[in-house]
Amino acid sequence: MEQQIKNCIHSLFTTEIEVKLTRPEPQFGDYATNVALQLAASLGKNPREVAEAIAEKLRDDEDFIDVNVAGPGFINIRLSDSALIKQVYERPETLRKDELIVIETNNPNPFKPMHIGHAYNSILGDTIANLLAVSGANVKRVSYHGDVGTHVGRSMWSLLKYTEGNPEKLTNIPANERNSFMGKMYAEGSRAAKEDETVKAEVDELAKQSFIRKDGNFNAIYEIIFDWSFTQIDAILKRIGNVPIERRYLESETEVPGKELIIDNTPRVFTLSNGAYIFEGSKYGSFDNIYIGSHGNGLYGAHDMGLVQLKRQDYPQLSASYVPTGGEQAAYFKGVIAASELAIPELEGKLFNIPTGLVKLSSGKMSSRTGDVVEIDWLFDEFAKAIEARGGEATDEIIAGALRYQFLKVKIGGDVIFDVSEAVSLSGNTGSYLQYAYARARQLIEKSTAKFMRSNDLYEEDKSLMRKLSEYHEVVNLATRELAPHHICNYLFDLAQEFNRYYEKNRVVGDDREAHRVSLVTLYADILKAGLSMLGIEAPGKI
RNA sequence: GCACCCGUAGCUCAGCUGGAUAGAGCGUUGGCUUGCGGAGCCAAAGGUCAUAGGUUCAAAUCCUGUCGGGUGUACCA
């Protein structure tokens, strides 16, 4: 369509201009463009005259049933029925076809409890992976976890005290209490190390132990907790509806390749100072940072570079790599990416960090437990209670749907203010509203014996819904280009509202136009389901 | 100090590669069930888009200053 208008303008004024179509208020038309306003100045003419001339010529096009000029010089276009139907069947573009893309879809650390922030990042990564796949890419989901370092030292300090030389003691802790238990162990170690210098020294020593793992007692505990952590992580990821990963990277694997890469690129990329390897990130919008400490151990920068190296080895064809992380690491990642690109030139322009905001709870009362982290199991229970309070069945797909939607409907980057009572209310712009809207539609289809048929006719009462349906591919294009799932959410909500209006006014089963209307409802239901599935949200036919 | 991000309705947020009366949900107020799931629909009230300038035919959107908030700033990740 843009091209049609572009040609039209060219034949009138022999100028080239980028034509952008927007979706105006429905009262104005299906599409609108302001090209006339842009052209007027350079042509030295009145914008309305220019618009009128273009409109006049566009009226010859049989796809447009109505073309008019409004306001200062907008051209509003209404599509013919057949053109509108064609738009509804339009598929989203696949600009990333044949690209191999690696994306981290979760990265909670073992030896620490999994909390609401991890759930957010995991849901976001998983959904972005879906968007990449929709745009045609061959997506490889991976994960990365810190299995060594300070946090391990802190937890191990408490665990050694707790087990008193007998790792078997851990087996007494029931599975459903392990996450909180780990939280307690970690918190205790952190606090003790902060308050007491000697404890801090012990914790540091245990952190070192995590790299070498020579001690039998240490190892026995380490292995049990490691196993617990990943059992827990896998179970939660499954509950929130994430697609399983293909490869799990551990921080301990990255030390060797990371250090090697850095040393090989000194002094070309890194500078050596007092035994430490430094990257001058301040030249690249980051900050100067030490990658290998003077003690010779790789620091987090070295590990992230090692990870880049491992990914490249595992996926030699990779054309892009995405790592969603908390926004507080944005500047740091700028440095890692700059250093990686300098060290491995073939990766230039292929590494991306997606900085996300923090998850905060708006209400004071949130959980009965200690500390300030919100554990995911607790949140699941809260959702379940709310759903049951409304007489619904609290299955994981309903809970996960509500949770995912709550996170995905806001733009990436800002903090997510998570209001539990709002998320749990299940009305308004929520995942539950959409699942309910889908189930209603599905029930209509089930109730009717009419078969789906592609109709060439449209009736007046169909128009609003059809118009909304025709926007689907455009919204998906926007979302996949920007990797912004919230566009999908906003659209689906509008769509469901449009359907509910239709449903309210028009009888489907038993009407003279039953077959026609059932087909329209089917079109809608399919698109809603496809949209939800991009968000990783199930759409049951009945709830 | 320096760098980056943010400030839109009572609350939570869209809109920001400039364009038509600034949109939604929640909350508030008032309506709608004999027709397919009322977890729904309709309507009303509610905004000097932090603030002061600038650019433009046109600014929530671009530029600058100010105020307010957040994050980062070399051996923890």
Side-chain angles (χ1 to χ4, degrees):
Chain A
M1 260 179 81
E2 278 94 347
Q3 197 54 47
Q4 280 167 270
I5 297 167
K6 212 172 151 181
N7 293 342
C8 165
I9 290 167
H10 186 74
S11 70
L12 280 170
F13 308 108
T14 61
T15 48
E16 290 292 326
I17 186 164
E18 195 61 36
V19 175
K20 262 188 354 196
L21 289 173
T22 56
R23 292 284 191 165
E25 298 286 306
Q27 39 169 331
F28 294 130
D30 293 320
Y31 288 96
T33 178
N34 61 6
V35 275
L37 289 160
Q38 294 173 38
L39 277 170
S42 62
L43 292 171
K45 290 182 179 168
N46 180 313
R48 281 199 69 109
E49 279 172 34
V50 177
E52 202 49 66
I54 296 167
E56 186 53 41
K57 196 154 175 71
L58 286 175
R59 288 190 187 108
D60 296 338
D61 197 312
E62 59 181 17
D63 281 348
F64 309 143
I65 201 171
D66 185 26
V67 184
N68 61 71
V69 177
F74 295 99
I75 301 169
N76 292 319
I77 298 167
R78 201 169 289 281
L79 295 179
S80 69
D81 289 357
S82 62
L84 182 59
I85 292 167
K86 218 177 105 196
Q87 287 285 309
V88 172
Y89 284 93
E90 192 78 29
R91 302 317 310 153
E93 63 198 10
T94 52
L95 295 175
R96 301 267 206 156
K97 212 164 169 38
D98 305 324
E99 279 191 43
L100 190 148
I101 299 178
V102 177
I103 175 165
E104 282 176 28
T105 61
N106 71 82
N107 48 21
N109 286 339
F111 299 90
K112 277 172 95 171
M114 198 168 164
H115 58 78
I116 192 170
H118 293 123
Y120 175 50
N121 259 22
S122 306
I123 287 168
L124 206 54
D126 185 62
T127 305
I128 290 170
N130 287 342
L131 293 178
L132 290 166
V134 166
S135 63
N138 177 10
V139 180
K140 304 291 180 190
R141 288 159 205 261
V142 302
S143 68
Y144 179 54
H145 313 267
D147 60 336
V148 289
T150 314
H151 70 281
V152 180
R154 289 176 183 160
S155 291
M156 284 302 293
W157 183 84
S158 311
L159 285 159
L160 285 165
K161 222 171 78 173
Y162 178 87
T163 52
E164 299 170 307
N166 178 20
E168 288 297 306
K169 230 181 132 181
L170 292 171
T171 54
N172 295 331
I173 297 165
N176 62 356
E177 285 172 23
R178 289 174 186 168
N179 202 41
S180 327
F181 174 76
M182 285 191 291
K184 238 168 65 192
M185 291 293 106
Y186 176 74
E188 227 177 272
S190 307
R191 190 169 34 86
K194 215 183 244 171
E195 288 167 1
D196 188 333
E197 278 300 313
T198 47
V199 174
K200 190 179 178 312
E202 286 168 33
V203 165
D204 287 347
E205 184 50 39
L206 291 167
K208 273 184 207 149
Q209 274 279 323
S210 71
F211 285 92
I212 40 182
R213 300 213 285 270
K214 287 264 168 61
D215 180 80
N217 187 41
F218 181 101
N219 282 0
I221 298 169
Y222 184 97
E223 278 161 25
I224 290 170
I225 301 296
F226 183 92
D227 181 62
W228 281 10
S229 295
F230 283 104
T231 305
Q232 187 81 228
I233 288 167
D234 289 345
I236 288 171
L237 290 172
K238 196 174 171 197
R239 284 192 88 183
I240 62 178
N242 267 32
V243 174
I245 52 154
E246 302 193 14
R247 164 86 154 91
R248 169 189 289 160
Y249 292 98
L250 295 174
E251 192 174 356
S252 54
E253 308 174 64
T254 64
E255 171 88 5
V256 172
K259 277 168 66 176
E260 205 177 276
L261 189 59
I262 289 160
I263 292 165
D264 285 353
N265 283 281
T266 306
R268 194 173 68 85
V269 179
F270 293 87
T271 48
L272 194 51
S273 165
N274 298 326
Y277 291 74
I278 294 158
F279 178 65
E280 292 183 63
S282 54
K283 290 180 182 163
Y284 303 89
S286 179
F287 51 89
D288 296 351
N289 193 12
I290 296 184
Y291 280 56
I292 300 175
S294 45
H295 43 58
N297 292 333
L299 302 176
Y300 56 115
H303 295 161
D304 276 310
M305 285 192 72
L307 178 61
V308 167
Q309 184 71 299
L310 289 175
K311 285 176 182 168
R312 189 182 66 125
Q313 282 162 12
D314 290 341
Y315 305 101
Q317 306 300 318
L318 84 82
S319 50
S321 169
Y322 290 92
V323 180
T325 66
E328 71 280 1
Q329 292 181 48
Y332 158 70
F333 264 96
K334 258 188 198 169
V336 170
I337 289 170
S340 301
E341 289 181 342
L342 287 171
I344 313 170
E346 65 176 73
L347 291 178
E348 210 179 319
K350 296 181 179 175
L351 305 175
F352 303 93
N353 170 232
I354 302 174
T356 68
L358 298 169
V359 179
K360 294 176 181 164
L361 280 98
S362 57
S363 60
K365 47 156 191 167
M366 35 178 134
S367 127
S368 50
R369 357 108 285 91
T370 57
D372 53 1
V373 292
V374 176
E375 288 169 22
I376 295 162
D377 289 328
W378 173 82
L379 198 61
F380 262 69
D381 291 344
E382 288 298 302
F383 272 86
K385 274 189 259 172
I387 291 162
E388 277 158 8
R390 297 202 82 135
E393 194 189 346
T395 61
D396 274 1
E397 56 190 5
I398 301 295
I399 296 171
L403 185 61
R404 290 184 80 100
Y405 194 84
Q406 199 67 17
F407 284 141
L408 295 172
K409 75 176 176 182
V410 299
K411 196 176 39 181
I412 298 173
D415 290 348
V416 178
I417 311 296
F418 197 89
D419 185 327
V420 174
S421 61
E422 186 194 313
V424 132
S425 84
L426 313 180
S427 65
N429 187 2
T430 64
S432 298
Y433 174 91
L434 298 181
Q435 286 174 322
Y436 178 71
Y438 178 79
R440 278 175 124 186
R442 209 61 239 171
Q443 290 303 303
L444 284 184
I445 298 163
E446 298 302 320
K447 203 164 270 185
S448 173
T449 52
K451 289 259 185 328
F452 175 79
M453 52 167 199
R454 181 170 170 163
S455 168
N456 293 316
D457 300 316
L458 280 185
Y459 300 95
E460 204 46 47
E461 67 272 16
D462 305 338
K463 296 274 173 78
S464 299
L465 184 53
M466 280 300 279
R467 186 175 181 279
K468 207 66 191 169
L469 289 171
S470 75
E471 290 174 25
Y472 178 69
H473 70 280
E474 293 165 8
V475 173
V476 174
N477 290 345
L478 180 66
T480 55
R481 274 197 218 127
E482 294 183 356
L483 297 181
H486 76 283
H487 291 302
I488 308 262
C489 294
N490 291 338
Y491 167 76
L492 292 180
F493 180 61
D494 282 350
L495 176 65
Q497 281 194 123
E498 204 58 66
F499 170 75
N500 281 335
R501 275 178 213 125
Y502 184 86
Y503 179 93
E504 202 76 17
K505 281 191 226 134
N506 304 290
R507 189 190 172 89
V508 176
V509 178
D511 189 82
D512 291 347
R513 290 178 195 154
E514 177 170 333
H516 172 79
R517 289 183 173 176
V518 166
S519 298
L520 180 56
V521 172
T522 306
L523 265 180
Y524 153 77
D526 289 350
I527 283 180
L528 179 54
K529 193 187 177 81
L532 285 172
S533 117
M534 260 176 238
L535 304 174
I537 296 173
E538 298 284 336
K542 206 175 178 177
I543 49 178

